[in-house]
Amino acid sequence: MIPSLILSSAVFVLGACVGSFLNVCILRVPLGQSIVRPRSRCPACGLELPGFLNLPILGYCMLRGRARCCGAHLDPRYPLVELGTALAFTALWQLYPAPLFLVYATLTAGLVVASGIDLDYLVIPDSLTVGGVVTGICASYFLPELQNCQNSTDAMIRSVLGAAMGGGILWITAKAASWLLQKEAMGIGDAKLLAGLGAFLGWPSLPFILVVSSFTGTLVGMVALKSRKRKLGVKIPYGPFLAWAAFLWLLIGDWMMQKVFLKISFE
Ligand SMILES: [Zn+2]
């Protein structure tokens, strides 16, 4: 009991530290800067931050959300990303054995960065989406459990199939929507992201991810439209919704599949 609590706490701390690194990635990857150097600087005045203030979550709380150097307001997104990643890692740790946890934690980290960049720039870099497809296929080969398979070749085939179907569905949707509306309605980046998700999670996850992401996306879109009123042309990125739906699949996908299959086998 106690060792498992200690392990879970360690995973939480690990998640918070990874989240802190993901914040750096969200800021620097789109600008083409190194994610290793230089050390973190105050986003407002550029002064280098002393080590202890780099502490995830706590640093922000100790500063009460203001930079010590210049008093500028710090974006609450930083501690939120750290806390979110920490909670996500802890949840995955409870659900999956260590090898699967490693893969899913890596996937989640990639999704956090993709969402952050999509929110800021309305694009998702290929390094994340295409990189995700390649990583998903390789991971399935080395860890066939990812695709519920016994053997590596079968797992890889299922992963490729998932990528092709995920990418294909959204690519066709994007093309059709652009043709109907006579303007670019949806980025190809979203299709590439769903291809990556299909590579990791397999094609059975795709209907769930599509339904959950478009439902929550529409809901948030409607709220945003109401609160901003006249600004009708406001673009809302779809990537964060795909990411959220994929993470929800990691949490309850197995349980849902069992429910569905039990129902089918009883009927
Ligand atoms: Zn400053």
Side-chain angles (χ1 to χ4, degrees), residues 165-208:
M165 286 174 76
I169 294 168
L170 278 195
W171 187 78
I172 292 169
T173 312
K175 286 287 162 201
S178 305
W179 180 74
L180 280 172
L181 300 171
Q182 293 297 311
K183 62 171 186 178
E184 200 191 328
M186 200 175 135
I188 289 300
D190 296 323
K192 292 182 197 162
L193 180 62
L194 193 61
L197 293 173
F200 273 97
L201 307 173
W203 64 264
S205 68
L206 296 173
F208 177 90

Side-chain angles (χ1 to χ4, degrees), residues 42 44-47 67 69-72:
C42 168
C45 71
L47 218 71
C69 36
C70 58

